[in-house]
């Protein structure tokens, strides 16, 4: 159904209809569109644009339509340009001409933004909930690895010994920041554009605050021209999705690397691996690789939105219809990826004996030698030089630092006394780092406890926001 036509002597040609049509993707907005229309009808009744009797007939028909959309009895057809046209067609098929009363006092320009905001609130909360489940899976694996010793890397070269629980738990921090970004998004963007009409505000809806409140928003936006063309909230959401994608890609990369035969630190469960069509022996970490690979489209979706917005005139321009597909794609990508990744993390088997075997390779205790000298009062630059000389000697002899004799240490610097030996173990290096962010077993234990409590706060926040949203949708 077309929502315009009076001033035209010809309908759009087929190619124009095909280009301008969005219903095949924006149909996802149908439940939100109906809910916004119900709030809008309430506004029209209170401003006496339609009678209470007509208002309740329209509301009743919209509620029926919502049911039919949910159970698939009503859907879009070839004649519909977009979701708004399809819903109005559904309404008119129930109410005849009265169905068209809904269009008073609003435009698709404010309607589409309101629908889209509701879609995003709903789906950001769903993504947040999946993130929190991933944090839980990571924290559980991290607490199982509180005594697993592993080489820590910088530049992908052995750097210093760490606890493997520390290594795993680091991922939870980024993911909880993503949840925090979602909470920020909700706070900043919980303002309704409804009442803006096409761009100038509406004479028929003088109090849009009431509809905003009904839809669970904090209030209305401050400027109708901004309100109909602002897509900051879309770009921000796409940034959050891209950032999540980047975090997941780094988890994916680690699992891919750790599952190689060269590393052998983890076995990914069969149910979370795939095979090769030609090499019968292959077991590939495809879930981890997809977690890495999907970040490309998530970043691309953000980029496409930003480019669409650059230099765009105010207020509504049809370019803005390009805001939805990147969001749907990012949301759907994450909602498919996250459950698989959660399962992969939950079922992974780590091999502490393999990790610890190489922990001292690459002279990873050199910092302990320098720290020992610095603690004894030597300026660190000088201590660093002396420890470097120890490394040089080890390289020449083909041994590791702890294999140097007392004499060899003393020959490099007299301050390298036998007491140093106590410090020259992976365990010693790890346990000497006791601050709250460091790698000692007590520190990591406390870090994971803190992560768990932050995650359970996040979880209860997500579930209370989600039930508030469900309740608003059902009202
Ligand atoms: N399908 C359109 C979109 O998503 C709805 C708004 C159309 N408004 C208009 N004036 N043509 O942006």
């Amino acid at each position: 159904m077309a929502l315009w036509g009076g001033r035209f002597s010809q309908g759009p040609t087929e190619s124009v209809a095909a280009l301008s049509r969005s219903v095949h993707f924006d149909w996802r907005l149908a439940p939100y569109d109906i809910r916004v229309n119900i709030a809008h009808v309430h506004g029209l009744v209170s401003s006496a644009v339609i009678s209470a009797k007509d208002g309740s007939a329209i509301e009743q028909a919209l509620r029926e339509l919502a049911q039919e959309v949910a159970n698939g009895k009503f859907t879009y057809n070839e004649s519909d340009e977009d979701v708004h046209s399809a819903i109005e067609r559904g309404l008119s098929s129930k109410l005849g001409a009265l169905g068209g009363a809904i269009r008073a006092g609003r435009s698709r320009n404010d309607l589409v933004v309101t629908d889209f905001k509701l879609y995003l609130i709903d789906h950001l909360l769903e993504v947040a909930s999946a993130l929190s489940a991933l944090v839980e899976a990571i924290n559980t694996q991290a607490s199982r690895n509180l005594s697993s010793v592993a080489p820590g890397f910088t530049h992908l070269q052995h750097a210093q010994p760490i606890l493997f629980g520390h290594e795993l738990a680091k991922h939870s921090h980024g993911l909880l920041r993503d949840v925090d970004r979602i909470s920020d998004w909700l706070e900043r963007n919980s303002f309704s554009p409804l009442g803006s009409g096409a761009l100038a505000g509406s004479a028929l809806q003088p109090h849009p605050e009431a509809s905003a409140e009904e839809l669970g928003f904090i209030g209305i936006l401050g400027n109708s021209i901004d309100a109909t063309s602002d897509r900051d909230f879309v770009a921000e959401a796409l940034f959050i999705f891209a950032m999540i994608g980047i975090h997941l890609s780094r988890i994916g990369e680690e699992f891919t690397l750790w599952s190689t035969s060269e590393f052998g630190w983890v076995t990914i469960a069969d149910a979370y691996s795939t095979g090769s069509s030609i090499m019968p022996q292959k077991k590939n970490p495809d879930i981890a690789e997809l977690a890495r690979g999907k970040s490309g489209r998530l970043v691309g979706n953000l980029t496409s939105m930003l480019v669409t917005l650059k230099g765009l005139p105010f207020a509504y321009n049809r370019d803005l219809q390009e805001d939805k597909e990147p969001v749907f794609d990012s949301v759907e990508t994450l909602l498919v990826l996250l459950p698989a990744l959660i399962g992969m993390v939950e079922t992974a088997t780590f091999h502490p004996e393999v990790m610890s075997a190489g922990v001292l390779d690459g002279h990873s205790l050199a910092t302990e030698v320098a720290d020992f000298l610095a603690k004894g009062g030597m300026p660190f630059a000088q201590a660093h030089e002396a420890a470097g000389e120890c490394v040089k000697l080890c390289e020449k002899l083909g041994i590791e630092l702890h294999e140097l004799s007392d004499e060899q240490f003393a020959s490099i610097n007299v301050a390298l006394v036998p007491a140093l030996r106590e410090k020259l173990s992976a365990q010693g290096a790890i346990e000497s780092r006791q601050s709250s962010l460091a790698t000692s077993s007590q520190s990591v234990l406390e870090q994971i406890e803190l992560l768990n409590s932050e995650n359970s706060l996040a979880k209860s926040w997500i579930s209370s926001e989600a039930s508030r949203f469900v309740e608003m949708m059902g009202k």
Side-chain angles (χ1 to χ4, degrees):
M1 171 172 161
L3 299 182
W4 41 268
R7 61 100 63 225
F8 290 85
S9 49
Q10 257 188 321
T13 63
E14 225 171 273
S15 60
V16 169
L19 172 65
S20 94
R21 202 161 179 260
S22 58
V23 70
H24 51 291
F25 56 83
D26 66 18
W27 182 244
R28 292 169 178 81
L29 300 179
Y32 313 102
D33 193 81
I34 293 175
R35 182 63 189 92
V36 173
N37 273 320
I38 291 174
H40 178 67
V41 171
H42 293 155
L44 290 177
V45 171
S46 61
S47 59
V49 172
I50 55 178
S51 67
K53 186 167 154 276
D54 285 351
S56 70
I58 296 174
E59 182 173 346
Q60 175 64 24
L62 282 168
R63 290 190 188 283
E64 280 169 30
L65 202 57
Q67 286 291 324
E68 292 164 18
V69 168
N71 63 26
K73 264 172 113 183
F74 179 79
T75 188
Y76 63 91
N77 69 22
E78 282 308 302
S79 71
D80 297 318
E81 182 181 342
D82 56 21
V83 60
H84 323 291
S85 332
I87 295 300
E88 194 173 318
R89 177 176 56 79
L91 195 60
S92 300
S93 75
K94 291 181 187 297
L95 299 173
L98 182 58
I102 189 77
R103 217 189 295 160
R106 64 145 174 73
S107 152
R108 283 182 293 169
N109 297 356
D110 58 349
L111 179 62
V112 74
V113 194
T114 317
D115 295 359
F116 201 23
K117 268 198 176 170
L118 293 186
Y119 169 92
L120 267 167
I121 294 170
D122 199 4
H123 289 84
L124 279 163
L125 289 170
E126 201 176 336
V127 169
S129 160
L131 287 175
S132 154
L134 179 57
V135 168
E136 198 167 316
I138 292 170
N139 290 357
T140 305
Q141 289 284 21
S143 18
R144 288 189 196 136
N145 281 283
L146 279 174
S147 52
S148 317
V149 165
F153 296 85
T154 62
H155 309 266
L156 219 50
Q157 305 283 325
H158 282 209
Q160 291 170 339
I162 50 162
L163 278 191
F164 190 62
H166 197 202
E167 187 79 277
L168 282 175
K170 69 182 183 231
H171 291 299
S172 296
H173 290 272
L175 298 170
L176 283 172
R177 283 195 293 274
D178 294 329
V179 175
D180 206 46
R181 275 184 262 274
I182 290 176
S183 143
D184 272 2
W185 185 102
L186 286 166
E187 207 169 305
R188 183 169 35 263
N189 294 306
S190 187
F191 292 89
S192 169
L194 201 66
S196 299
L199 82 163
S202 163
L204 304 179
Q205 283 283 33
H207 302 297
E209 293 83 358
S211 305
E213 196 189 329
E214 180 178 333
L215 295 172
F217 289 108
I218 298 170
I220 61 170
L221 285 164
N223 179 316
S224 58
I225 305 172
D226 171 58
T228 46
S229 47
D230 163 39
R231 296 294 185 280
D232 297 7
F233 72 99
V234 181
E236 282 183 22
L238 287 167
F239 170 75
I240 296 173
F241 298 141
M243 200 67 240
I244 295 170
I246 285 166
H247 289 145
L248 303 185
S249 79
R250 298 180 81 180
I251 297 176
E253 164 56 15
E254 281 193 340
F255 276 73
T256 307
L257 185 70
W258 294 342
S259 66
T260 56
S261 10
E262 283 68 22
F263 263 77
W265 287 15
V266 68
T267 303
I268 298 175
D270 281 4
Y272 292 93
S273 307
T274 53
S276 155
S277 61
I278 178 168
M279 297 170 283
Q281 86 286 5
K282 287 285 270 177
K283 180 175 145 181
N284 294 325
D286 289 29
I287 305 307
E289 291 167 51
L290 284 167
R292 196 175 55 192
K294 295 283 185 192
S295 56
R297 66 201 290 161
L298 295 166
V299 173
N301 288 337
L302 167 63
T303 308
S304 96
M305 184 75 257
L306 293 174
V307 177
T308 300
L309 293 176
K310 182 192 170 295
L312 195 68
F314 288 82
Y316 183 82
N317 297 273
R318 195 60 177 270
D319 313 44
L320 290 172
Q321 182 166 290
E322 291 298 309
D323 61 356
K324 281 168 224 65
E325 283 166 292
V327 167
F328 297 148
D329 181 69
S330 290
V331 163
E332 287 159 23
T333 297
L334 287 174
L335 292 178
V336 168
L337 173 59
L338 280 163
L341 197 62
I342 292 165
M344 186 195 77
V345 171
E346 276 172 348
T347 55
T349 311
F350 293 99
H351 305 297
E353 65 301 341
V354 183
M355 298 167 193
S356 65
V359 71
L360 299 183
D361 295 356
H363 318 297
S364 66
L365 296 176
T367 316
E368 307 323 297
V369 177
D371 282 3
F372 177 80
L373 292 172
K375 263 198 175 159
M378 188 182 288
F380 192 81
Q382 217 178 319
H384 186 283
E385 277 297 298
E389 278 180 48
C390 296
V391 171
K392 201 199 271 172
L393 182 56
C394 285
E395 293 221 304
K396 197 169 129 204
L397 303 174
I399 56 175
E400 290 297 336
L401 282 164
H402 64 289
E403 293 167 318
L404 285 173
S405 67
D406 291 350
E407 294 68 35
Q408 286 166 325
F409 273 126
S411 74
I412 288 168
N413 195 300
V414 286
L416 291 170
V417 294
L420 164 64
R421 215 156 278 288
E422 276 168 47
K423 310 280 173 198
L424 286 189
S425 69
Q427 211 64 41
I430 287 169
E431 294 308 333
S432 68
R433 290 171 168 78
Q434 302 245 339
S435 64
S436 63
L437 50 65
T439 203
S440 78
S441 44
Q442 187 57 31
S443 310
V444 177
L445 179 74
E446 286 167 17
Q447 288 159 25
I448 296 172
E449 276 167 8
L450 214 64
L451 281 169
N452 280 332
S453 64
E454 274 176 42
N455 196 34
S456 64
L457 278 179
K459 243 184 173 170
S460 57
W461 168 77
I462 295 162
S463 84
S464 83
E465 286 297 308
S467 31
R468 203 164 68 88
F469 189 82
V470 169
E471 200 182 311
M472 178 283 291
M473 285 296 286
K475 259 193 200 152

